[in-house]
Amino acid sequence: MAPTTPRGGRRPNLGIVGGTGAVGRVVLQVLPMRRHVWGAVSVAAASEDVGHVVRVGDEDLTVAPVGPDFFDDLDVAIFDIPPGIAGEWVEHAAARGIVCIDNSTVFRTASDVPLVVPEVNPHKVGDRPRGIIANPGATVMTMIDVLAVLHGGWELQSLVVTTFQAASGLGRAGIARLHDELDVIHGDRELGTRPGDVRRLVEHELGVASPFPAPLALNIIPFVGHHVGAGWTSEETKVRDETRKILDLPDLPVSATCVRVPVVSTHSVTVHATFGRRIDVAQARQALVEAPGVVVLDDPDEPEFPTPNDVVGADPRFVGRLRQGEDAPTTLDLFICGDNLRKGAALNMLQTAELVAADL
Ligand SMILES: NC(=O)c1ccc[n+]([C@@H]2O[C@H](COP(=O)([O-])OP(=O)(O)OC[C@H]3O[C@@H](n4cnc5c(N)ncnc54)[C@H](OP(=O)(O)O)[C@@H]3O)[C@@H](O)[C@H]2O)c1
């Protein structure tokens, strides 16, 4: 029997599907501080981890298989599973009246599924005709609340962004591959001095099968996702489409170049934004200082700026390198870092689930 709320109502039961993956594990880490919202909590995964015990605060939970039985007695379910299977299980649970929050790409651009960031568009939680809410991709999450603040003050007109995306954006497989490559190159100080030397070594030692389309250790990869036509990758069109949907700016020009970098976790983004009005750098900085969930680290004289490794594991988005071209008074350039597994995925899902719980 689930515990009751101070109002005497039953607290909703929460299910976490994919609780053993890169994002799911962070959901379980973040959950204890927010546990009071929920009645029973249960965790499911694929066969590999079924039967394992995972710890949530002081509770031990046995991982169940994903199947129809798992959804009995749930009120809200969070899905952190691959897109290839998410659609089927989300539809199944939603048909049973469970409010579903899905982190895959399957529903993000559907017109009848809201794409929610609690700091930006919390009201969209109640507008869920299919009982499904989509969680934005971690790349967009890195910059979206900063953009919302700036748009609120100065009316965003266009965006040019370059992303620097961590290996964990491809889940446990991405993290494992980066570490495997680092193990293989360890100690060889000649590597990186001859064309293709890292590629030859890692392919010889690890084989060619990799979640990444090129070696990531001692390298960067300017291709994230798959080709969707005219030279754009799926990640780049996601950045455009999800930004437009969340900010409710369907015609916003967005040009993204997405790059994978040898960082374990925390995505970074450079932003060149153009606004409808003149924007003053000091005023923009102050607006970001006052924004919830945003930390400004920006002093070029120190110098102070965010780096992914310095902020990994933290909840806020960290902003630095604010500046403006001398001849471009309606533009702003900046750099943002945000942990793709925390606010980029797990935390945003739990915050959204809490809005749902308050609304049930
Ligand atoms: N990583 C990120 O930064 C990020 C950010 C935003 C969105 N996402 C999205 O979030 C989802 C999860 O990503 P992730 O990075 O956590 O992936 P991951 O590390 O590969 O974990 C995948 C999870 O899904 C489970 N799973 C795999 N196949 C399954 C199946 N056939 N049936 C049931 N469960 C299955 C796995 O269970 P086992 O442990 O038993 O294999 C594991 O718990 C994906 O849709 C991804 O696109 C990821």
Side-chain angles (χ1 to χ4, degrees), residues 18-24 45-49 66 80-83 85 103-105 108 136-138 168-172 267 340-341 344-345:
T20 56
V23 175
S47 50
E48 192 183 315
D49 286 313
V66 183
D80 286 307
I81 55 178
I85 53 164
N103 201 19
S104 78
T105 49
R108 287 185 196 154
S168 66
L170 281 185
R172 288 176 311 189
H267 289 351
N340 51 300
L341 298 179

Side-chain angles (χ1 to χ4, degrees), residues 2 14 19 22 34 40 49 51 57 83 104 114 142 144 174 185 193 197-198 204 207 232 261 266 319 338 342 354:
L14 176 69
R34 322 176 77 91
D49 286 313
S104 78
T142 309
I144 198 70
I185 66 172
T193 61
D197 56 0
V198 176
H204 180 263
W232 298 99
V261 295
T266 295
V319 183
R342 286 186 80 92
E354 288 161 15

Side-chain angles (χ1 to χ4, degrees), residues 28 31 41-43 52-56 59-63:
L28 301 184
L31 187 58
V41 170
S42 46
V43 179
H52 289 193
V53 173
V54 292
R55 201 154 182 82
V56 178
E59 289 172 281
D60 284 331
L61 304 176
T62 302
V63 178

Side-chain angles (χ1 to χ4, degrees), residues 224-305:
V224 181
H226 57 272
H227 185 218
V228 291
W232 298 99
T233 69
S234 52
E235 188 73 5
E236 291 160 351
T237 53
K238 264 178 4 188
V239 169
R240 179 196 64 199
D241 296 344
E242 294 179 21
T243 301
R244 287 175 170 176
K245 183 170 176 176
I246 298 164
L247 295 180
D248 202 12
L249 294 171
D251 300 319
L252 182 73
V254 179
S255 172
T257 301
C258 291
V259 181
R260 188 79 65 187
V261 295
V263 165
V264 175
S265 275
T266 295
H267 289 351
S268 305
V269 184
T270 61
V271 175
H272 174 80
T274 303
F275 298 90
R277 300 210 290 273
R278 284 175 169 262
I279 180 166
D280 175 77
V281 175
Q283 288 178 357
R285 184 182 287 110
Q286 187 57 31
L288 294 172
V289 165
E290 291 170 9
V294 176
V295 173
V296 177
L297 292 177
D298 186 34
D299 185 345
D301 292 325
E302 285 293 329
E304 183 182 59
F305 46 80

